[in-house]
Structure formats: C-alpha cells, structure tokens
Amino acid sequence: MKKTIWTDDSIAYLKENYPHTTDTAIAQHLCVNRKTVSLKAKELGLEKGIRPEWLDLAERVRELHGSHSNAEIAAITGISSRSVSRIVAVLCLRRTKKEEQSIRSRIRQDIMKREKRRVIFGLPPITRIKVQPSAIAGKP
C-alpha cells in the first residue's frame, strides 16, 4: 500500500477548500484517493460547512411547508422529495391539522379536475376515482 506524503501546500489547500468542496473534487486536484482526503481532514479536525445554497433551499422549504405537500415543494424547488423530508426533519417543521386538511383537500380537487378532463377527452383514467361523464358535459 502506497503512503501519501502530505506537503505543506496540499495541507493548506485541504484546509482552505474542505468546508465547501466535495472530497472527490479535492482528491482529483491533489491526485489522491477520496478516502485519503477524508481521513486527513478527520486527522486535522476539519468539518464540512453548510453551503449557502442549502440554507436558501431550507428557508424556501420552511416558507412552503404550511401550504404545500413535500412532493409539491420538491417540484417547486427542484430537489428530491427525500431531500425535502430531510430538511423538514432537521428543521423540526410540523403542520397543524388544519394545514394538513387544506393540503389534502386541494390535492383531491386537483386530482378530480384531472380525471374529469381525461374523461372529457376520452382518455383512460389514471386513478380509480369514478367520474360521471354526464355531470361533466353539463347534461342532466
């Protein structure tokens, strides 16, 4: 096994870039293994910092949490639902019963509208919700 010799320049680069750069990017720059970078950083007591763009996303999630579902927040912010769930957990965000009911009601209404449009255009339904074609077309 080859032992990596850390120069003063490479240690300085690691200290300067570790908080805001990925281990992989640092490893490529220093021509070492990613694991070597993480071990040296741990040895030096370095920690990853919070990236400013994630702080902005967390604030956006906080704003939307009371009025949108996690899936809707993910679509709006462009991150995964899993990431939204993690942010919600870290920030300890909770919805009131009224907020939950409002979100569910709005989502149900949107689903009903979509299903009605599918029936009008003769497309097969996506859900198992039964929609009356006569009520849609305005027929008695």
Side-chain angles (χ1 to χ4, degrees), residues 40 55 59 78 90 101 116-117 121:
K40 188 64 174 180
L55 291 176
E59 187 56 37
V90 167
Q101 290 171 347
K116 286 178 183 178
R117 282 182 284 203
F121 291 107

Side-chain angles (χ1 to χ4, degrees), residues 54 57-59 61-62 79 81-93:
W54 280 103
L57 279 174
E59 187 56 37
V61 168
R62 183 190 304 273
I79 59 176
S81 293
R82 176 101 177 168
S83 293
V84 171
S85 298
R86 287 180 180 152
I87 292 170
V88 167
V90 167
L91 297 177
C92 299
L93 299 177

Side-chain angles (χ1 to χ4, degrees), residues 1-6 30-33 35-36 39:
M1 188 189 317
K2 181 181 164 188
K3 181 161 173 108
T4 304
I5 299 173
W6 288 88
L30 297 175
C31 300
V32 296
N33 189 333
K35 187 71 173 171
T36 305
L39 288 173

Side-chain angles (χ1 to χ4, degrees), residues 69-83:
S69 69
N70 287 0
E72 291 171 327
I73 294 171
I76 291 168
T77 58
I79 59 176
S80 69
S81 293
R82 176 101 177 168
S83 293

Side-chain angles (χ1 to χ4, degrees), residues 7 13 21 23 29-30 46 51 53 71 79 88 105 116 125 133:
T7 64
Y13 180 85
T21 308
D23 291 358
H29 180 81
L30 297 175
L46 302 177
R51 292 188 275 168
E53 59 268 15
I79 59 176
V88 167
S105 176
K116 286 178 183 178

